[in-house]
Amino acid sequence: MWRSRMARQPPEPVVACAPWLDAEIHIVRPRLVACLGSVAAKAILGQSFPVTTQRGRFISVREYEVLATVHPSAVLRAPDRAAACSAFLAHLNTARSMFPTNAPTACT
């Protein structure tokens, strides 16, 4: 039986690997976790996280910030690839704003 993407449960590897991910985050203690794509974002922020409306924003989670954006492959599939790339780079630049280095500003 077909189910919409929204009704699906997290993929088995996400559920199986969650304890390792949590342990790694606990050990590394990152300032920022960047989630590239819906699966990654929902693994960190929960299945109800609306990636399409919340992407590119900092979200405080425990002792770190999370920034979710589209998966890079979504840029390649986008009808307007230049606009999708610009939005993706803007999200990455938002993530980089936490760190004192230069960031890319254009797609080539």
Side-chain angles (χ1 to χ4, degrees):
M1 177 176 167
W2 179 85
R3 293 187 302 166
S4 75
R5 289 180 54 206
M6 298 309 209
R8 294 181 187 164
Q9 295 298 315
E12 287 181 27
V14 172
V15 174
C17 294
W20 283 275
L21 177 61
D22 290 340
E24 185 171 342
I25 288 173
H26 178 74
I27 291 167
V28 174
R29 297 177 29 184
R31 289 177 36 205
L32 173 68
V33 173
C35 298
L36 303 182
S38 177
V39 172
K42 290 180 179 199
I44 298 289
L45 299 167
Q47 288 298 301
S48 63
F49 180 73
V51 177
T52 55
T53 59
Q54 296 296 313
R55 65 182 180 228
R57 301 178 185 170
F58 290 116
I59 298 161
S60 295
V61 177
R62 298 178 285 234
E63 302 86 31
Y64 56 91
E65 299 289 323
V66 175
L67 186 129
T69 188
V70 297
H71 191 277
S73 66
V75 174
L76 299 176
R77 293 189 312 270
D80 186 350
R81 196 179 290 179
C85 183
S86 293
F88 181 66
L89 272 181
H91 297 158
L92 294 181
N93 284 328
T94 299
R96 297 270 311 224
S97 71
M98 289 188 73
F99 307 98
T101 60
N102 295 328
T105 58
C107 295
T108 55

